[in-house]
Amino acid sequence: MKFLVCLVIFVANAGAIQDLSGKMFTFPQQTKTYYVKLITAKRNLGAATVCHRSFTDLKRDHCLFSKSTPSFPNEFLVFYDYTNKEVEIHLKEQKAEYRFLDYKPNQWHSLCTTWDMGSGLVQVWFNGMPLARKFVKQANMTGEPIIILGQEQDSHGGGFDINQSFVGMMTDVHMWDYVLSSCEIQKYMSELSFTPGNVLNWAALDFQINGRVLIENKQMYCQ
Ligand SMILES: *[C@@H]1O[C@H](CO)[C@@H](O)[C@H](O)[C@H]1NC(C)=O
Ligand SMILES: *[C@@H]1O[C@H](CO)[C@@H](O)[C@H](O)[C@H]1NC(C)=O
Ligand SMILES: [Ca+2]
């Protein structure tokens, strides 16, 4: 009996792999407990690219992508600093800041970040435009990852701050274990067909939803 109960709980919590093409996550309210956890078996990355599209009207700091390991809560973090009006890419305890972006409220923004651990260089692409390449840190991604959308991790899988939570919509989240070519990134930005992520793939996403986060159809424009 005990075994059965455990099994049921395990099944209920297990991430189901889903094709979310044409869908989005809607984060409809400000909390410090609602989030989506993205699951990957990939460890020990020597490079990475993370892409996502998001839509919000938040008038405060917020987190767009949070990957932690037991040693580094901000192993890889994409964060919007509202006070300084900048996108910050945190890598372990270092960060790069990207300013003068047209990060308007109430519209979709496509953002890709590349990181090559050999050179330590980071580059953000914002709405189709490549931004400056910046040195952040030479180090591999190692250790058990926890990847979260909707909240910012101050500890491994927790330490959320309601004032850094994400409210709005998010879609097309992909992660690769290499630096995507600029051509592939431009295809992603233009919503053309591109090579899907091999660490996280929106079209075959393994995830768990905690709380009120909805999977809804993307709202398309009529032609
Ligand atoms: C970093 O990762 C790459 C690719 O997995 C590997 O070849 C390299 O030896 C690693 N470097 C360190 C310092 O761990
Ligand atoms: C969040 O921000 C509001 C408004 O600035 C503030 O009153 C509240 O104390 C903050 N909460 C936390 C947990 O920092
Ligand atoms: Ca925080």
Side-chain angles (χ1 to χ4, degrees):
M1 190 59 197
K2 255 185 192 152
F3 173 74
L4 247 181
V5 169
C6 287
L7 194 68
V8 167
I9 289 168
F10 174 74
V11 168
N13 283 333
I17 295 176
Q18 282 187 49
D19 178 358
L20 294 182
S21 304
K23 310 272 188 195
M24 62 186 183
F25 286 136
T26 300
F27 298 86
Q29 74 193 87
Q30 173 169 292
T31 74
K32 65 170 218 178
T33 48
Y34 297 174
Y35 62 89
V36 181
K37 186 172 170 182
L38 307 183
I39 296 148
T40 176
K42 287 253 183 183
R43 307 276 178 280
N44 306 329
L45 311 185
T49 303
V50 172
C51 291
H52 39 83
R53 286 183 241 286
S54 58
F55 183 113
T56 185
D57 66 349
L58 283 170
K59 262 176 73 181
R60 56 162 173 75
D61 294 354
H62 52 273
C63 178
L64 296 170
F65 185 93
S66 171
K67 177 176 187 279
S68 78
T69 59
S71 323
F72 294 101
N74 297 340
E75 198 214 25
F76 186 92
L77 167 66
V78 182
F79 191 78
Y80 189 71
D81 178 333
Y82 187 82
T83 311
N84 295 310
K85 303 280 183 285
E86 63 191 22
V87 167
E88 297 176 349
I89 307 302
H90 294 245
L91 293 166
K92 305 198 173 182
E93 68 280 8
Q94 311 294 321
K95 70 174 169 178
E97 293 145 347
Y98 285 92
R99 301 174 205 98
F100 309 112
L101 305 181
D102 198 11
Y103 189 73
K104 284 201 185 84
N106 300 316
Q107 68 182 45
W108 284 100
H109 297 291
S110 300
L111 206 150
C112 290
T113 309
T114 70
W115 181 23
D116 172 60
M117 288 60 164
S119 65
L121 295 188
V122 160
Q123 183 168 31
V124 167
W125 289 69
F126 182 73
N127 293 343
M129 299 295 291
L131 308 179
R133 295 169 64 72
K134 301 190 179 190
F135 178 81
V136 180
K137 193 179 175 73
Q138 283 169 304
N140 279 359
M141 290 192 182
T142 54
E144 189 70 20
I146 296 183
I147 302 175
I148 283 182
L149 303 178
Q151 300 288 341
E152 199 273 314
Q153 304 175 72
D154 277 352
S155 64
H156 194 43
F160 304 144
D161 177 347
I162 191 168
N163 288 332
Q164 296 180 340
S165 65
F166 179 79
V167 183
M169 293 92 84
M170 199 168 284
T171 188
D172 298 338
V173 182
H174 288 265
M175 181 169 181
W176 298 258
D177 64 357
Y178 56 93
V179 173
L180 224 56
S181 72
S182 53
C183 193
E184 286 286 328
I185 293 180
Q186 286 170 57
K187 285 192 217 163
Y188 174 88
M189 296 265 159
S190 308
E191 303 200 39
L192 301 172
S193 121
F194 59 91
T195 311
N198 63 349
V199 178
L200 299 172
N201 176 359
W202 189 253
L205 200 68
D206 193 353
F207 64 97
Q208 295 168 358
I209 289 180
N210 284 61
R212 186 171 296 115
V213 180
L214 311 175
I215 299 173
E216 299 191 293
N217 290 328
K218 271 200 230 177
Q219 293 166 315
M220 313 300 258
Y221 294 105
C222 296
Q223 302 291 337

